Amino acid sequence: MEKIAFAKPERDEVVDRIQRYFLAELDQEIGALEAEMLFDFFAERIGPFYYNQGLHDAQAMFVKSIDDI
């Protein structure tokens, strides 16, 4: 699977959300570098699971719509 590239504004938004999550839920401040590293980890290692599930869901919806026809 090809690596997914995110535009800088999207990447910045995700990094900000990760930082806010750590502060709100874990009462721990992390820097932008740490948040970016965590984002990269999830995008590279966990993201494919979400991607595959999305494909599976889309295929199931497509099959259902074909069956309805």
Side-chain angles (χ1 to χ4, degrees):
M1 185 163 112
E2 193 172 315
K3 184 177 179 180
I4 298 172
F6 293 92
K8 183 162 176 25
E10 293 173 322
R11 191 168 181 81
D12 291 345
E13 175 67 24
V14 172
V15 167
D16 182 59
R17 287 181 184 208
I18 291 170
Q19 288 178 299
R20 285 187 280 134
Y21 174 82
F22 266 74
L23 188 58
E25 299 297 325
L26 304 172
D27 198 27
Q28 182 179 0
E29 286 189 41
I30 63 170
L33 179 61
E34 292 86 356
E36 284 188 46
M37 290 174 67
L38 187 59
F39 176 52
D40 288 339
F41 169 79
F42 277 100
E44 292 171 13
R45 305 245 171 74
I46 309 299
F49 291 100
Y50 284 97
Y51 178 82
N52 289 336
Q53 184 62 47
L55 287 179
H56 176 75
D57 293 347
Q59 182 182 23
M61 184 180 287
F62 179 74
V63 167
K64 183 183 179 316
S65 66
I66 294 296
D67 288 344
D68 291 344
I69 293 174

